[in-house]
Amino acid sequence: MAGPLVLSVELAWREGLGNQRATTLSYALDVLRRIGSDLRSPGTIDLFRTLLTASNVQPRNITAEATERGFVDAEEGRQTLNSLRKLGIAVAIDDFGTGYSSLSRLENLKLDCLKIDESFVASIGTDGATSQVVLHIIQMAHALHLRMTAEGVETDAQAEFLHSRGVHCAQGWLFGKPMRLAALCEALKARQTSTTPSCA
């Protein structure tokens, strides 16, 4: 499972991130859907070790993502989180609000990042029943000192709402649509060229 992943991350790193002096972009890897493993699998940590060794990507540029269901067993989850942190990898809880997490469980797990599910982002500025939930999630994340990423941002109004309330990052079609690796590498090259000062 790790072979194609290592190759794709290495290519993106070499073509884009690796050529920048300040590597501010990061790879968020879904533990179950992308790695083909889960937090309870003894092979999860080995897969991340292989990724770091084979791709030469820095641990600070990797975030391991898992859904709330992946943290149902708090003790097993905590052991895996500790091992990932020893490698220097951050951990995010994905699709937050759609599973079974409680405040006490989040406190015990001591995560690095919380990803706000797109269903709550879509309700921003509407009269929907869940329109207030996103505010409670943001407040809880601030209280636990977690970084936040909002998923599914599609409008400027949503982006402004989230930014004004201290959400650190956002992803969605407002910023860019999914693209293949080759297109991503080209976009990274273009970005590097556009931000490089002229010598004239």
Side-chain angles (χ1 to χ4, degrees):
M1 281 288 183
L5 176 64
V6 168
L7 290 175
S8 63
V9 170
E10 168 65 16
L11 178 58
W13 179 263
R14 183 158 41 84
E15 295 293 336
L17 300 181
N19 293 328
Q20 299 182 22
R21 291 183 178 180
T23 53
T24 57
L25 300 181
S26 63
Y27 302 96
L29 303 176
D30 187 304
V31 173
L32 180 58
R33 286 175 288 191
R34 189 67 182 88
I35 306 292
S37 184
D38 61 49
L39 290 178
R40 292 167 292 182
S41 171
T44 297
I45 302 303
D46 289 336
L47 285 172
F48 276 96
R49 287 197 186 100
T50 299
L51 172 64
L52 292 173
T53 301
S55 68
N56 294 317
V57 176
Q58 299 302 307
R60 66 177 179 272
N61 294 103
I62 297 290
T63 298
E65 295 181 357
T67 62
E68 291 185 61
R69 293 169 181 81
F71 296 99
V72 170
D73 189 318
E75 183 54 37
E76 288 184 344
R78 187 182 302 111
Q79 292 174 7
T80 303
L81 294 184
N82 290 338
S83 296
L84 287 169
R85 282 208 177 84
K86 287 179 181 178
L87 294 176
I89 294 172
V91 181
I93 184 168
D94 196 13
D95 299 336
F96 185 79
T98 63
Y100 313 101
S101 288
S102 64
L103 179 60
S104 60
R105 178 174 291 155
L106 290 180
E107 288 178 316
N108 290 333
L109 287 172
K110 299 187 184 305
L111 299 159
D112 300 292
C113 179
L114 181 154
K115 300 192 72 175
I116 304 170
D117 186 69
E118 61 185 350
S119 62
F120 300 117
V121 173
S123 71
I124 292 173
T126 72
D127 295 326
T130 60
S131 61
Q132 296 300 310
V133 175
V134 67
L135 286 173
H136 296 300
I137 292 175
I138 292 171
Q139 291 168 359
M140 182 173 63
H142 281 309
L144 295 174
H145 306 291
L146 296 175
R147 289 186 60 81
M148 287 172 280
T149 296
E151 300 179 300
V153 179
E154 297 186 357
T155 69
D156 289 322
Q158 290 171 345
E160 174 58 29
F161 177 95
L162 295 162
H163 177 72
S164 67
R165 286 159 179 79
V167 176
H168 308 90
C169 302
Q171 63 186 60
W173 283 23
L174 178 63
F175 310 105
K177 295 183 178 181
M179 61 182 71
R180 294 187 179 277
L181 178 60
L184 172 62
C185 291
E186 287 301 318
L188 290 172
K189 285 182 179 178
R191 172 176 174 172
Q192 182 182 3
T193 301
S194 66
T195 56
T196 301
S198 172
C199 297

